[in-house]
Amino acid sequence: MNEDTSIKEKINVGINVSLVLNKFKNALSKLERVVGSRSTLPILNNILIKVHKGGVELLATDLEVGIKFNLGGKVEKEGSITIPGRTLINLVDNLYGDTIQLSSKNNILTLISGDSKANINGMPADEFPVIPEVEVGKKVTLDTQVFKSMLSQVEFSASSEESRPILTGVYMISGNGSLTLVATDSYRLSETVIKNGLGEEFNVVIPVKTLQEVRRMADEDASFELVVGENQVMFVFKDAKLVSRIIEGDYPNYKQIIPSKSSTIAELDVQEFIDNLKTAHIFSVEGSHSVKLNVKPEGLVEITSESSQLGNFSAKLKAEVKGEGGEISFNARYLLDGLNSFETPRCTLGIESRSNPGVLKPSNVDGRVYIVMPLKQ
Amino acid sequence: MNEDTSIKEKINVGINVSLVLNKFKNALSKLERVVGSRSTLPILNNILIKVHKGGVELLATDLEVGIKFNLGGKVEKEGSITIPGRTLINLVDNLYGDTIQLSSKNNILTLISGDSKANINGMPADEFPVIPEVEVGKKVTLDTQVFKSMLSQVEFSASSEESRPILTGVYMISGNGSLTLVATDSYRLSETVIKNGLGEEFNVVIPVKTLQEVRRMADEDASFELVVGENQVMFVFKDAKLVSRIIEGDYPNYKQIIPSKSSTIAELDVQEFIDNLKTAHIFSVEGSHSVKLNVKPEGLVEITSESSQLGNFSAKLKAEVKGEGGEISFNARYLLDGLNSFETPRCTLGIESRSNPGVLKPSNVDGRVYIVMPLKQ
């Protein structure tokens, strides 16, 4: 069997294009989490390959997020085909060589790279859903590093429960030269603000999952563009576009739950605080995750926790305390989530009473606040 | 409340000892996998702390494997207590400081380290099972690195099915100045032999789980001692002893299934072989994991696989071939397991017929062989 001649003969219908293998690999890896594996709509398990004059488009969607890559390539024949995404991704991930040739006939995609050849059973392209681009909208350019950093400061506070969909997103507010990101599950809230000098005014609630994909997509670009349309947002990267639904509805008026002042403020070492909360959590993990903080004006914060079954724990942490001090209980996990998002060596904890929310802030950083609701003692 | 005085007053019954925190942490981390978390015998979820004149003993057992650490310490009061292992391990892992003080009263263990203090509810020590040491047996000293390397060359071939218990262990044969390790699940077999100059003659089947613990325990010692007793083996480390049951029964006469010769031998690049088997496996993963190898005397090995649902794959690998060549099918996972255990850039594949086992060996290495049963085509 002489593969080379027989392959060339076959390619008389369908697509035919050669492209750089590494670019193809990279694009497929970015599509991985959007491609379904057991979708009830089988076409969503597929990747659409569209060959046009300028090169190759790769598309995947889960109907909430759609991603479209645009890769260059040496085009012999235009056309399109859809292919089971997992199979394609796993296959191409293990191939090597400089270029890969894609050709198709009768809905079978043939991939040739080096001395390897695979045929994958595909489906006609016309069943694949359209991923509509956002043509009209407000546009801002975002710095990738800044955006990734802001996102990791808030995303963990979003809710994972679908009962209040609006809380499963990140609230993004642009205007007056600043950009604000907020997330809350109603038990705790993260807000981060930067001055970016952009005048474009909009506010929009974007699903956390979308933003996590944006983080992955943005990896190689220094900046990217966000276009906020009527019902959708679009993120524009060098080689790709990501289109996502917006979460409909009014975001809660979160500003009103951020305490305007705290009568007691303690400044602590972040890592020491984290370590001792983790230890305290061992004894509260079975119940409410409750740990008690006792802020003492003489300059310490005592952390205690107790389990009737396991035992109890107490630790004294040095702190700079302003105010009268006081005792308050929190869910240890929520405190830890907030502290783990701080990049500073020290932080402040503000408390007002047993029933008012606690306020955590990284020391000497503007624009960051983390609010935690107290637990009843 | 002045903790320091009240603690000192309390310690009038039970143990009291101070020890180096890091040594305590390290020992606990080694006990982690032997301590039960949901054992039907609750005492097996515990760690036994025994304070004697010379220091502290820490013991844990799952009745198959028992581990006993012997740590130095400043002993104030001898005695013993058992404590829920997970709670103790999690707690101590998060503590810092140089030393930790352990004291007990009324079956409550108090741990003090720096400004942290915990009380853990324990149980009386007398319920804890005895871990008998192997007093009489054949002794050999094993080099840690050599042993770990030999173990990783064979352990993956052992069976995980309890239907034939003897195959869930690693067969260890010592005598005539060499040490042999063998494992098989009857579908494939690994053998590794080293000349270690030791004359002690024994053969014993040791559970894979035991040997995996031995690997973790041996981490800090250059060598350790193995004592083979009547029904148990004991591994002796600097600070610890591990006692394990032996798997009873006769190990199969494995030598007879290792082919004495192969009429066709192909030498290949290991990494290229691995990569292409992985790719071929994508198309066979749903069924038998079957890949077909076609060894061609002109100097190549063709790998092919096919799935009626997904598609098919073929790759040609350059090889140095001796003999007539031939075609044979294997389970791709078994080939990959063997190849992944090779540390050499090249390997040889020996085949005799479609129904005889294949023989994989790392090139230019003595004492290693990996046998794989063929699949029917």
Side-chain angles (χ1 to χ4, degrees), chain B residues 215-351:
Chain B
R215 172 194 281 129
R216 285 159 51 89
M217 295 287 290
D219 251 3
E220 286 146 39
D221 301 343
S223 66
F224 59 90
E225 195 175 59
L226 165 62
V227 187
V228 181
E230 194 68 31
N231 304 307
Q232 290 192 303
V233 284
M234 180 167 73
F235 296 85
V236 183
F237 308 96
K238 194 161 69 67
D239 290 336
K241 286 173 182 166
L242 183 152
V243 179
S244 163
R245 73 179 176 101
I246 285 169
I247 303 181
E248 306 286 341
D250 290 325
Y251 203 78
N253 179 7
Y254 77 91
K255 280 285 185 194
Q256 74 185 16
I257 73 152
I258 300 181
S260 53
K261 62 171 188 57
S262 300
S263 57
T264 294
I265 294 177
E267 186 172 37
L268 298 125
D269 182 274
V270 173
Q271 194 56 50
E272 199 183 354
F273 200 6
I274 289 174
D275 290 339
N276 281 287
L277 283 169
K278 276 191 196 163
T279 318
H281 189 217
I282 294 167
F283 293 92
S284 68
V285 72
E286 288 176 330
S288 57
H289 304 273
S290 172
V291 295
K292 195 190 284 183
L293 304 182
N294 194 343
V295 183
K296 298 189 174 180
E298 62 264 33
L300 63 88
V301 174
E302 193 175 14
I303 302 181
T304 53
S305 65
E306 183 150 16
S307 147
S308 57
Q309 200 199 327
L310 299 177
N312 58 58
F313 175 78
S314 70
K316 296 185 178 102
L317 278 63
K318 284 197 185 66
E320 279 177 49
V321 178
K322 284 173 200 160
E324 288 183 3
E327 210 177 67
I328 185 167
S329 291
F330 292 111
N331 182 317
R333 292 176 308 167
Y334 294 154
L335 291 178
L336 284 166
D337 283 347
L339 292 168
N340 282 321
S341 78
F342 292 175
E343 293 106 13
T344 54
R346 292 179 72 77
C347 69
T348 58
L349 166 70
I351 60 173

Side-chain angles (χ1 to χ4, degrees), chain B residues 105-138:
Chain B
K105 188 180 170 183
N106 300 332
N107 291 317
I108 294 174
L109 179 70
T110 301
L111 303 97
I112 299 177
S113 173
D115 288 326
S116 304
K117 177 185 160 186
N119 296 302
I120 309 183
N121 301 332
M123 291 166 73
D126 35 306
E127 281 183 46
F128 202 83
V130 174
I131 301 175
E133 297 197 6
V134 179
E135 307 286 355
V136 182
K138 305 202 171 178

Side-chain angles (χ1 to χ4, degrees), chain B residues 29-281:
Chain B
S29 74
K30 300 282 171 64
L31 296 179
E32 191 164 8
R33 301 212 305 186
V34 176
V35 172
S37 55
R38 251 174 278 239
S39 182
T40 45
L41 206 58
I43 193 76
L44 298 184
N45 299 338
N46 280 20
I47 287 173
L48 172 61
I49 303 175
K50 253 189 187 169
V51 182
H52 54 81
K53 263 185 204 147
V56 182
E57 265 182 31
L58 299 175
L59 295 92
T61 180
D62 61 6
L63 298 184
E64 296 219 333
V65 173
I67 299 178
K68 189 184 292 192
F69 265 90
N70 224 318
L71 304 176
K74 204 179 139 210
V75 177
E76 301 275 338
K77 187 151 183 17
E78 298 172 52
S80 54
I81 186 170
T82 79
I83 294 293
R86 300 279 154 200
T87 306
L88 182 65
I89 290 166
N90 291 340
L91 170 72
V92 173
D93 199 38
N94 282 312
L95 294 180
Y96 36 83
D98 296 329
T99 58
I100 183 165
Q101 188 196 15
L102 311 180
S103 58
S104 75
K105 188 180 170 183
N106 300 332
N107 291 317
I108 294 174
L109 179 70
T110 301
L111 303 97
I112 299 177
S113 173
D115 288 326
S116 304
K117 177 185 160 186
N119 296 302
I120 309 183
N121 301 332
M123 291 166 73
D126 35 306
E127 281 183 46
F128 202 83
V130 174
I131 301 175
E133 297 197 6
V134 179
E135 307 286 355
V136 182
K138 305 202 171 178
K139 290 182 190 179
V140 285
T141 299
L142 299 169
D143 179 277
T144 301
Q145 288 312 319
V146 171
F147 180 77
K148 282 164 76 172
S149 167
M150 290 180 80
L151 182 58
S152 62
Q153 289 159 10
V154 304
E155 59 185 333
F156 59 88
S157 291
S159 173
S160 51
E161 286 171 27
E162 288 299 330
S163 54
R164 275 186 79 185
I166 197 81
L167 298 187
T168 65
V170 169
Y171 187 38
M172 219 167 154
I173 310 138
S174 176
N176 294 322
S178 73
L179 177 72
T180 303
L181 263 58
V182 180
T184 181
D185 59 5
S186 81
Y187 303 109
R188 43 40 189 295
L189 177 147
S190 304
E191 184 194 44
T192 179
V193 186
I194 56 149
K195 302 215 182 309
N196 61 356
L198 300 174
E200 199 72 84
E201 287 207 15
F202 62 83
N203 55 62
V204 61
V205 183
I206 302 175
V208 168
K209 195 200 157 193
T210 297
L211 295 171
Q212 285 167 344
E213 290 309 313
V214 168
R215 172 194 281 129
R216 285 159 51 89
M217 295 287 290
D219 251 3
E220 286 146 39
D221 301 343
S223 66
F224 59 90
E225 195 175 59
L226 165 62
V227 187
V228 181
E230 194 68 31
N231 304 307
Q232 290 192 303
V233 284
M234 180 167 73
F235 296 85
V236 183
F237 308 96
K238 194 161 69 67
D239 290 336
K241 286 173 182 166
L242 183 152
V243 179
S244 163
R245 73 179 176 101
I246 285 169
I247 303 181
E248 306 286 341
D250 290 325
Y251 203 78
N253 179 7
Y254 77 91
K255 280 285 185 194
Q256 74 185 16
I257 73 152
I258 300 181
S260 53
K261 62 171 188 57
S262 300
S263 57
T264 294
I265 294 177
E267 186 172 37
L268 298 125
D269 182 274
V270 173
Q271 194 56 50
E272 199 183 354
F273 200 6
I274 289 174
D275 290 339
N276 281 287
L277 283 169
K278 276 191 196 163
T279 318
H281 189 217

Side-chain angles (χ1 to χ4, degrees), chain A residues 35-52:
Chain A
V35 171
S37 55
R38 251 173 278 242
S39 182
T40 45
L41 205 60
I43 193 76
L44 299 183
N45 300 337
N46 280 20
I47 287 173
L48 172 60
I49 302 174
K50 252 187 186 170
V51 182
H52 54 82

